[in-house]
Amino acid sequence: MDNGSKKDQMFEKMLEQKKEVKIVRRIVFVVALVLIIGGLIGGRAVYKYITGALQPVDPNSEEVIEVEVPIGSGLTSISEMLEDKGLIKDAKIFKYYAKFNNESQFQAGTYGLTKAMTLDELIESLKTGKVYRTPVFTMTIPEGLTLDQIAAIVEKRTSITKKEFLDYVNNEQIITDLMGRYPNILTEEILGEDVRYPLEGYLFPATYPFYEEKPTVDTVVSTMLNATSDNITPYFAYLESNEKSVHWLLTFASLLEREATAKTDRETIASVFYNRLDDGMPLQTDPTVLYALGEHKDRVLFEDLEIQDPYNTYVNTGLPPGPIANAGKSSIEAVVDPSITDYLYFLADKEGNNHFAKTYDEHLANRAKYID
């Protein structure tokens, strides 16, 4: 192609862009004019059409519509595609609205969009490559909670009762169904004879957005399991190379989540547990005793340490049968990448700071200094 042809194409493109800018300005002018002469029938009709086209097609729709945006798609073709899918009312209005807001750089990809999304939400999704919607409400599930504690939060934030939630996550048929839907994270290990609750530790701690006023219990649980799957998937290669399972990872991480008070502590405590496991020593971590007791106590008593329960790591070696809480990302990473130490003991002082020791004598010295 010669330089003259390139210049002609550039000139034609500039003319087209100028033409589109004029059309955008014309729409703004029409809207402003309609507001001024709103008493006229024609003005009302135009104004009603334009404002209607700027609203969601169906604000109550929950149907997810798949839209494939090919590489190289322009704003015009994307606008027409959205109209063909019934996601917007008018392709031209959407196109000019996007241009008026200087939004035209959209990403190729497959999107799950709904008719309830506003034009701004559709634009934000196409810009970022993520489905963006304003949630009806959000629900925060902190790290270190048990299923029972999560159920209490769900009851407080939704119309789902605590009993309904716990019945659902402990229903054998439902667990079997969920195992089929999430085979990468829910394996036969969650059905172990000594496992207290199959989904204990499998509902990831996060702040969850919900787009309906009354989500079902299946929606809530599935949303959390999706998050667990997303956050565990990056560690599959590590687990495979070390011949470990997701259940092992979440169980180990849950102990760190309940013991640690800082991110660095997690990595060091992980090293203590690894060293103890290698030496065949019991982990002797108090949170497993509390889980075995099934109650919260400010202080674990000596007689509590002797409770005969599979989860009590004072009377049993190795990890407990399953997670004792939901672990956050920091605890999971600490299992995968622990500190390298010779520590075999640690204790927390009254301020919650952990102190580590290589020998039992050093551990006793720490106890005398920081606790007794």
Side-chain angles (χ1 to χ4, degrees):
M1 184 180 296
D2 57 32
N3 290 334
S5 298
K6 288 183 179 180
K7 288 181 178 179
D8 289 341
Q9 287 186 356
M10 290 176 64
F11 182 73
E12 289 177 2
K13 190 173 182 180
M14 288 174 62
L15 288 177
E16 179 66 21
Q17 289 175 341
K18 288 183 178 180
K19 183 179 178 182
E20 289 180 347
V21 169
K22 287 181 179 179
I23 294 174
V24 170
R25 289 173 179 170
R26 191 175 302 164
I27 286 181
V28 176
F29 174 76
V30 168
V31 173
L33 185 62
V34 168
L35 290 173
I36 295 172
I37 59 174
L40 300 177
I41 296 177
R44 284 196 187 127
V46 173
Y47 177 74
K48 185 176 181 181
Y49 180 79
I50 293 176
T51 55
L54 295 174
Q55 302 303 312
V57 174
D58 182 0
N60 298 315
S61 176
E62 296 179 9
E63 177 191 3
V64 177
I65 299 172
E66 185 174 295
V67 176
E68 179 72 33
V69 178
I71 296 175
S73 298
L75 180 55
T76 298
S77 62
I78 292 174
S79 301
E80 292 172 351
M81 190 185 309
L82 294 176
E83 183 178 352
D84 290 341
K85 293 284 189 178
L87 291 161
I88 57 174
K89 297 176 181 178
D90 189 296
K92 289 182 179 178
I93 297 294
F94 177 84
K95 175 183 175 180
Y96 297 137
Y97 180 81
K99 279 188 170 294
F100 181 71
N101 288 283
N102 295 317
E103 303 285 11
S104 59
Q105 300 300 316
F106 297 147
Q107 295 191 34
T110 302
Y111 297 85
L113 308 173
T114 77
K115 296 179 180 179
M117 297 175 74
T118 65
L119 298 195
D120 288 331
E121 290 172 343
L122 290 169
I123 288 171
E124 189 66 24
S125 296
L126 295 167
K127 275 175 53 184
T128 62
K130 299 178 181 179
V131 177
Y132 174 83
R133 290 175 63 193
T134 301
V136 176
F137 71 95
T138 60
M139 178 168 60
T140 299
I141 305 298
E143 294 89 346
L145 298 191
T146 62
L147 268 179
D148 188 74
Q149 292 170 317
I150 293 173
I153 293 177
V154 171
E155 181 177 63
K156 191 174 294 185
R157 299 291 291 126
T158 73
S159 59
I160 301 166
T161 66
K162 182 176 180 178
K163 182 180 185 304
E164 181 183 357
F165 184 88
L166 290 175
D167 286 347
Y168 181 90
V169 297
N170 289 299
N171 182 289
E172 290 184 13
Q173 184 56 49
I174 289 172
I175 294 300
T176 300
D177 174 64
L178 290 174
M179 290 173 68
R181 288 158 57 185
Y182 299 94
N184 60 327
I185 57 171
L186 300 181
T187 66
E188 292 291 331
E189 286 184 274
I190 68 173
L191 302 178
E193 182 180 353
D194 294 326
V195 172
R196 185 173 294 177
Y197 304 118
L199 295 187
E200 187 77 89
Y202 282 83
L203 303 185
F204 197 77
T207 295
Y208 294 98
F210 290 94
Y211 302 97
E212 49 190 310
E213 190 174 340
K214 295 183 178 181
T216 64
V217 63
D218 180 74
T219 297
V220 173
V221 172
S222 297
T223 299
M224 295 181 187
L225 287 174
N226 287 335
T228 301
S229 180
D230 291 342
N231 281 276
I232 291 298
T233 297
Y235 303 106
F236 282 169
Y238 166 86
L239 294 174
E240 184 176 357
S241 63
N242 287 275
E243 298 183 348
K244 299 295 184 181
S245 67
V246 170
H247 193 71
W248 171 88
L249 176 60
L250 291 179
T251 300
F252 200 141
S254 73
L255 304 185
L256 301 182
E257 193 65 60
R258 296 292 293 151
E259 280 281 15
T261 56
K263 184 180 184 299
T264 52
D265 282 350
R266 286 171 170 79
E267 297 165 355
T268 309
I269 293 173
S271 75
V272 172
F273 287 162
Y274 272 117
N275 293 338
R276 280 179 163 259
L277 290 170
D278 289 343
D279 288 353
M281 298 173 63
L283 296 181
Q284 296 183 328
T285 173
D286 289 357
T288 62
V289 177
L290 295 174
Y291 190 81
L293 292 170
E295 61 179 299
H296 173 74
K297 298 178 71 172
D298 292 330
R299 185 175 182 181
V300 176
L301 303 177
F302 181 77
E303 57 262 30
D304 297 330
L305 305 180
E306 298 178 334
I307 181 175
Q308 296 300 311
D309 186 279
Y311 282 88
N312 184 0
T313 57
Y314 276 84
V315 297
N316 302 293
T317 57
L319 295 175
I324 61 172
N326 61 341
K329 194 167 184 178
S330 294
S331 293
I332 294 171
E333 289 179 346
V335 176
V336 175
D337 188 23
S339 299
I340 305 301
T341 75
D342 294 326
Y343 294 137
L344 287 171
Y345 304 90
F346 71 95
L347 55 79
D349 61 27
K350 296 175 182 178
E351 283 72 42
N353 300 311
N354 284 304
H355 302 275
F356 299 88
K358 297 179 182 179
T359 68
Y360 187 60
D361 286 341
E362 291 177 1
H363 179 62
L364 291 178
N366 283 340
R367 177 176 293 279
K369 181 177 180 180
Y370 298 108
I371 296 180
D372 298 339

